[in-house]
Amino acid sequence: MSGVLERPDELARIAAALDAAGRGEGKVVVIEGEAGIGKSRLVAETRAMAKERGFVRMQATGDEVESALAWGVVRQLIERSIARYAGETRAAIIAGPTGRAIEALDKATPDAGDAEVARTLHALWWVAVDLASPRPLLITIDDAQWSDPPSLRFLSYLSKRVGDLPIALVVATRPPPDRLGPLAELTVARHVERLLPRPLSRDGIAVLIAERSRTEAADQVVDAVLAASGGNPFLAESLLDELAVLDRSTKDAATAETVRGLGASAVSRTLLSRLSPTALALAKAVAVFGARTDIWAAGSVAQLPESALAAAVDELVAAHVVCVEASQLSFVHPVIRDSVTSTLGPVDQATLHGRAAETLWAARAAADRVAAHLVQAPAGTLDSAVAIFTEAATMCATAGDVVKAIDYLNRAVEVEPSNAKLQSLLGKLLLRNGDPRAARRYLLAAADSTSGRERAELLGTAATATSAVDGPVAAATELMHALDDWTDDRSARLALDARLGIIRSYLPSERKRASQHLRGFADFPGDTPDERILLALLAQCGRYEVTPSADVRRTAERALRRGALLKDSVGQADPLVGWLLAMMSLIAADGVGPARDEIAGAQDWVRRHGSPIEFAMVANVADFLAWRCGDLPAVEADADGVLAAIESEDLTPQVVAIRATAVTFGLYAALERGDLAGAQAMLAEWDESSRNAPRVIAAMWLEAIRARIALELDDPLAALEHALWLRDEMVAADLDPPAVPWRTPAALAQLRLGDEAAARELASDQLALTRRWGAPTDLGAALRLTAKVDVGQGARRVETLTEAVAVLERSPARLELARALVDLGEAYRVVGRRTDARETLNRGGELAASCGAVVLRNRVAEVLQALGDRPRSLVAPGQDSLTASERRVAGLAVTGRSNRDIAQELFVSPKTVENHLGRIYVKLGITGRRELGRALA
């Protein structure tokens, strides 16, 4: 009872969290306090309350030794859940998401990076979602301070994503020592309810004593117990247990002196002193082995004969030191375990850990379980130490625990300092962990002992470390020297060429030399991963340098090689980056057909295997394609989908760049719909949320949208300022791709400011640039701009716009064509060609409506009304009321996909899909899915 004494507020808040989760409003509760304060009892009460409410329950307990085991706590959660089932039910669970999640936990790849961890986290999240679908789910983690880092990362990941799920996550922990890492982040997060159980008051101690002794205690004894325990429930109970053993009455005031003599810190030692040598030896073995220790393994480590083992177990259970469950031993409380551990000197600990390692290795336990003991054992304990440490390091690295992986590899390198494989793995992990200086030393040492492609890859990775230490120019120089000195296999050196190209792509000062270098690979067919990366870099170079778009398109297609580059990218530490370079170049060059095929393949892969970040990266590419083609509903839906998918992700540079790109497209769509206020709100939200975020190049493109918003607000000076800022940033980066036409808002701003000559000069420059580039989309847009600034030249404007329409007819840009048609229709009206004006405007209006361009469609209606026409409505009012995201969900629902299937495809929660469908039904005036197809027809 002591754990719930004086805890009415904590229990009420936990009950409220469970009730909220039962309504589908997920909650996260952290119970934080010192050892013995009653956290475990509160967790037990939470589970009891959840059982009464019909919750599915998952539980795990952290353990100091098991904190070295990758996914240890997560495995407890999953394996305990599976253990409840058998036969066909168990087989069905293993065949579903839970089985796939376990499979993801078991994958161990030496070069796996954060992307692989992200995929595993997402797979585990879906396990929680599925478990919570029939009934609300409670997940409890006790002693979370001893959880392994990958499991803590999952708890943090899950905590940010339960808001619209019927899930309650309750985590009990001691205060994090350094306020860093995922556990510390969890305890202070704004979305987390934090409970801080206070010590028992004097009245609470009095009630505790009365409950235990069934009599009212003397005031002096109450005061003494309170002083000795500090109000800590477990320590107070331990004192009372000791008084019972000593047969001292709590009614006797003189017992207070006994309490003061004992002191809380001495109670555990007194308890241990009463144990027999065999029982104490077994307790020490359990302390070293960790929670849930197999009885026979503990007996082996304690070197107890079978005849003595059973008696030792019985003695420890009777003394309330350990408890037994399914042939496994666990300490009754972590404080007792701490007391046992404190009796072990350094030599004793090393010896017992050595025996534990030998016992586990003989039992063929997992490498990370063996290594957790071997790392604390005397040198030479196992002849297979290097192999064990290497495998354990790989397991930890795959799970994202890079620090522990480095620790294991350092131990392996101590045994075999010249092992190139160990040096290579250690160097890569040090680089991943942010220690490029040490990483470079090991990578170069490994390269000296290898040859061929392996040596090239090591030198390339070492150059990445050099870039972090001395800058990218030094890294490029290092790679050029390596290439000059290369005498090995010629095909292997392409890995060095590719890395040099990647490093140079970030350096404006190196862009010309990079271009010359990459041109040497222009004739490559793209048969190998290195060739494909080099061709992707060459395509990007061509796009930035305004090489003819037809050449860029062909290069990008060879780089992509019908999905081959995508498959290359999937296994790399920076997934999809090479694919992205080629795709952006291909789309910019109007290669719509091949781009659609590539995007479809990437979306299919991401749906089955990807993480939210990978989904967002692919969706941003799809958004770029939709933007080029003028499909505004798709632009808006993709942008919304990206922002929804990564809403809970940490603001790393990669995530910030993804968000900036999605916001850019979202703003563009809002302005085309005429939602200026919505665009301003979206931009203000971006500015606020990214105030302390890393600076990324992708945020640069937002300046073009800022300029356009300023023009909408009739502030040409501000528009010009934004456009010229963008120009300066692009010049500094040695970029001027036609697809980012900073000259367009600058020219329009100059025109409004009355400087027609400056406007015409900017338009002329843009036209010359796009003629050199040659992509019809950009050339047509430049011709439109030229006509717009050609003030007072009616006939010449008609001629220019006629050319723009003809060019855009050959492009995929339907909205750009609609704009050109509308401009041409208005130009026809100005020169008195009313019939031509009507025909052209009607076609432009139909295209604008099909693109979802409300502003342009309304503009057409106004002009046609001025001509005496009455334009017809082109969009059904009900459908028009749906947002782009709602239209996408509705379209998927019509195909028969379940809410779960739609959620998986869009990387959102099933509840989000359910909410979308609810709003869709209301807007369309229907009652459910059966009527959806008819309403959308």
Side-chain angles (χ1 to χ4, degrees):
M1 279 293 293
S2 64
V4 292
L5 272 177
E6 299 189 327
R7 302 287 186 255
D9 179 60
E10 287 87 345
L11 292 172
R13 290 165 69 184
I14 290 171
L18 291 173
D19 290 338
R23 297 190 301 269
E25 303 167 10
K27 295 294 180 182
V28 182
V29 177
V30 169
I31 306 169
E32 183 181 328
E34 63 181 0
I37 201 66
K39 303 184 297 297
S40 296
R41 201 68 63 89
L42 282 173
V43 169
E45 288 294 318
T46 301
R47 292 181 56 76
M49 288 190 283
K51 183 178 181 180
E52 292 174 0
R53 289 164 169 79
F55 275 59
V56 178
R57 285 156 292 138
M58 300 176 74
Q59 64 174 318
T61 303
D63 178 75
E64 192 169 7
V65 174
E66 289 190 357
S67 64
L69 308 184
W71 300 115
V73 163
V74 166
R75 287 181 187 278
Q76 279 189 60
L77 291 172
I78 294 178
E79 289 166 4
R80 283 183 175 180
S81 299
I82 295 175
R84 286 180 268 181
Y85 303 98
E88 293 182 2
T89 303
R90 182 185 178 92
I93 293 171
I94 295 295
T98 301
R100 289 193 292 274
I102 293 174
E103 183 182 346
L105 300 184
D106 290 334
K107 287 180 180 176
T109 307
D111 291 333
D114 291 336
E116 195 65 47
V117 176
R119 291 175 203 135
T120 302
L121 293 174
H122 190 66
L124 291 169
W125 178 76
W126 267 108
V127 172
V129 171
D130 285 341
L131 287 171
S133 60
R135 290 185 289 155
L137 171 65
L138 169 68
I139 300 174
T140 57
I141 312 294
D142 200 5
D143 286 328
Q145 74 277 359
W146 288 325
S147 297
D148 58 285
S151 292
L152 285 176
R153 191 168 171 182
F154 170 65
L155 294 179
S156 178
Y157 185 92
L158 178 64
S159 74
K160 299 171 185 175
R161 292 164 174 81
V162 300
D164 62 351
L165 295 169
I167 295 177
L169 173 62
V170 177
V171 177
T173 179
R174 296 181 189 178
D178 53 8
R179 293 296 171 188
L180 296 173
L183 180 60
E185 292 171 7
L186 186 64
T187 61
V188 299
R190 287 183 296 177
H191 63 278
V192 170
E193 183 160 10
R194 192 164 168 232
L195 306 184
L196 303 171
R198 299 175 63 84
L200 296 179
S201 66
R202 186 184 187 283
D203 289 343
I205 293 291
V207 171
L208 172 62
I209 297 174
E211 288 179 348
R212 294 291 299 271
S213 60
R214 298 185 180 181
T215 184
E216 188 172 342
D219 288 345
Q220 295 89 332
V221 174
V222 173
D223 291 336
V225 171
L226 176 63
S229 69
N232 184 292
F234 177 79
L235 297 180
E237 286 187 317
S238 299
L239 282 165
L240 297 176
D241 287 342
E242 194 63 25
L243 292 177
V245 170
L246 297 173
D247 198 24
R248 300 302 306 269
S249 172
T250 57
K251 293 173 61 178
D252 185 356
T255 300
E257 194 61 35
T258 303
V259 172
R260 285 190 285 271
L262 285 172
S265 62
V267 170
S268 294
R269 292 197 297 274
T270 304
L271 170 66
L272 297 178
S273 69
R274 290 198 297 269
L275 297 176
S276 67
T278 54
L280 184 59
L282 183 61
K284 291 177 178 179
V286 175
V288 166
F289 241 129
R292 297 169 298 281
T293 301
D294 177 78
I295 290 176
W296 311 109
S300 174
V301 171
Q303 296 184 322
L304 298 180
E306 189 173 328
S307 58
L309 179 58
V313 171
D314 291 342
E315 183 180 346
L316 291 177
V317 171
H320 302 294
V321 174
V322 302
C323 54
V324 182
E325 182 179 353
S327 298
Q328 292 184 322
L329 301 175
S330 295
F331 282 100
V332 170
H333 197 280
V335 172
I336 297 178
R337 190 251 180 96
D338 292 346
S339 296
V340 175
T341 303
S342 69
T343 66
L344 293 170
V347 175
D348 290 336
Q349 285 203 43
T351 300
L352 289 174
H353 278 297
R355 291 179 196 161
E358 291 170 337
T359 300
L360 290 170
W361 182 241
R364 298 184 179 180
D368 58 343
R369 186 173 290 276
V370 179
H373 296 284
L374 190 58
V375 76
Q376 301 181 69
T381 296
L382 287 173
D383 293 337
S384 304
V386 170
I388 293 168
F389 282 134
T390 304
E391 185 177 349
T394 299
M395 295 170 71
C396 291
T398 303
D401 190 354
V402 181
V403 173
K404 179 57 67 178
I406 290 171
D407 185 26
Y408 287 151
L409 282 176
N410 275 322
R411 289 297 299 269
V413 168
E414 287 175 7
V415 179
E416 295 184 7
S418 300
N419 186 316
K421 179 183 176 183
L422 296 178
Q423 292 170 332
S424 170
L425 284 173
L426 182 54
K428 291 174 183 177
L429 288 174
L430 286 165
L431 182 59
R432 183 176 163 191
N433 197 49
D435 189 356
R437 197 175 297 278
R440 181 171 60 181
R441 186 171 67 252
Y442 283 108
L443 290 165
L444 291 175
D448 285 342
S449 303
T450 54
S451 61
R453 180 173 180 80
E454 185 179 0
R455 179 168 181 263
E457 289 179 344
L458 286 168
L459 289 173
T461 308
T464 302
T466 297
S467 181
V469 175
D470 299 322
V473 173
T477 302
E478 182 178 303
L479 283 171
M480 285 188 287
H481 287 323
L483 286 167
D484 289 341
D485 296 338
W486 189 263
T487 58
D488 214 328
D489 178 18
R490 179 171 172 77
S491 63
R493 67 170 279 161
L494 290 181
L496 287 177
D497 288 310
R499 189 56 60 97
L500 177 59
I502 290 170
I503 289 175
R504 277 176 161 169
S505 69
Y506 297 103
L507 293 170
S509 62
E510 293 281 318
R511 198 171 304 283
K512 288 183 180 178
R513 279 195 287 180
S515 179
Q516 291 169 353
H517 175 229
L518 291 169
R519 283 195 195 108
F521 312 111
D523 295 330
F524 277 6
D527 290 337
T528 67
D530 288 329
E531 287 186 6
R532 290 190 280 271
I533 284 289
L534 288 164
L535 288 170
L537 289 165
L538 181 61
Q540 181 196 44
C541 229
R543 177 184 167 211
Y544 286 160
E545 295 175 358
V546 200
T547 300
S549 61
D551 294 342
V552 170
R553 174 175 171 170
R554 285 190 290 269
T555 302
E557 287 180 348
R558 275 185 286 127
L560 293 162
R561 198 61 185 273
R562 294 186 180 90
L565 181 57
L566 174 65
K567 291 177 183 176
D568 298 339
S569 303
V570 165
Q572 292 181 0
D574 298 320
L576 302 180
V577 172
W579 183 81
L580 281 170
L581 295 178
M583 284 298 293
M584 299 303 272
S585 301
L586 179 63
I587 295 168
D590 283 347
V592 169
R596 284 207 175 101
D597 292 341
E598 285 284 340
I599 289 170
Q603 288 173 332
D604 180 64
W605 181 86
V606 164
R607 274 193 294 270
R608 290 183 288 112
H609 306 292
S611 66
I613 289 179
E614 289 167 319
F615 164 81
M617 292 170 74
V618 173
N620 267 344
V621 174
D623 222 355
F624 183 39
L625 178 62
W627 177 70
R628 289 288 285 187
C629 294
D631 185 352
L632 290 175
V635 170
E636 189 173 15
D638 279 326
D640 287 350
V642 168
L643 295 174
I646 62 170
E647 180 180 10
S648 301
E649 298 291 335
D650 295 331
L651 290 181
T652 62
Q654 184 185 38
V655 170
V656 174
I658 291 170
R659 284 190 60 214
T661 303
V663 168
T664 298
F665 289 130
L667 288 167
Y668 173 83
L671 291 174
E672 293 297 333
R673 284 191 292 101
D675 187 5
L676 178 59
Q680 288 178 287
M682 188 186 302
L683 191 57
E685 183 180 350
W686 158 262
D687 288 339
E688 177 62 29
S689 64
S690 62
R691 192 180 305 278
N692 298 316
R695 287 193 64 190
V696 294
I697 290 178
M700 183 192 306
W701 316 131
L702 282 165
E703 293 305 308
I705 298 292
R706 294 183 196 274
R708 181 167 170 182
I709 289 175
L711 288 172
E712 294 286 346
L713 295 171
D714 198 23
D715 189 351
L717 277 173
L720 184 62
E721 182 180 345
H722 287 301
L724 294 182
W725 186 92
L726 176 57
R727 175 202 64 187
D728 293 343
E729 290 291 302
M730 291 172 67
V731 167
D734 196 21
L735 304 174
D736 197 5
V740 187
W742 64 267
R743 294 175 183 83
T744 298
L748 296 176
Q750 292 284 25
L751 192 63
R752 291 204 196 175
L753 291 168
D755 193 341
E756 295 176 13
R760 283 195 296 272
E761 183 179 355
L762 287 164
S764 176
D765 289 347
Q766 183 67 18
L767 182 58
L769 188 72
T770 56
R771 286 199 189 281
R772 193 165 89 238
W773 170 239
T777 297
D778 301 308
L779 178 55
L783 287 165
R784 277 190 58 244
L785 177 63
T786 300
K788 193 174 285 291
V789 300
D790 210 356
V791 180
Q793 301 296 322
R796 195 161 66 196
R797 289 187 72 223
V798 168
E799 181 182 347
T800 304
L801 288 168
T802 300
E803 182 185 357
V805 169
V807 168
L808 289 166
E809 293 280 15
R810 299 184 281 106
S811 86
R814 298 297 86 189
L815 181 53
E816 199 60 52
L817 174 59
R819 292 193 187 103
L821 286 166
V822 174
D823 286 355
L824 179 58
E826 290 183 321
Y828 279 146
R829 185 173 70 88
V830 170
V831 297
R833 294 170 58 175
R834 296 171 67 86
T835 300
D836 290 337
R838 286 189 181 93
E839 291 177 0
T840 307
L841 286 166
N842 272 311
R843 187 182 171 213
E846 290 171 359
L847 266 177
S850 68
C851 291
V854 176
V855 172
L856 187 59
R857 173 61 190 156
N858 290 342
R859 180 175 142 204
V860 169
E862 291 173 4
V863 178
L864 286 173
Q865 285 173 350
L867 287 169
D869 286 6
R870 186 176 179 182
R872 67 183 186 278
S873 174
L874 297 172
V875 182
Q879 290 188 46
D880 195 36
S881 66
L882 300 180
T883 67
S885 294
E886 288 167 354
R887 282 195 292 273
R888 174 161 290 180
V889 169
L892 292 171
V894 165
T895 66
R897 288 177 172 86
S898 67
N899 287 7
R900 184 187 185 282
D901 291 339
I902 297 171
Q904 281 198 312
E905 185 159 339
L906 300 180
F907 281 74
V908 294
S909 72
K911 184 68 173 180
T912 299
V913 175
E914 181 184 326
N915 291 338
H916 274 313
L917 286 171
R919 289 191 293 269
I920 289 165
Y921 299 153
V922 171
K923 290 180 179 181
L924 297 181
I926 60 177
T927 59
R929 280 187 180 234
R930 290 183 179 179
E931 303 170 66
L932 190 55
R934 174 180 52 78
L936 294 176

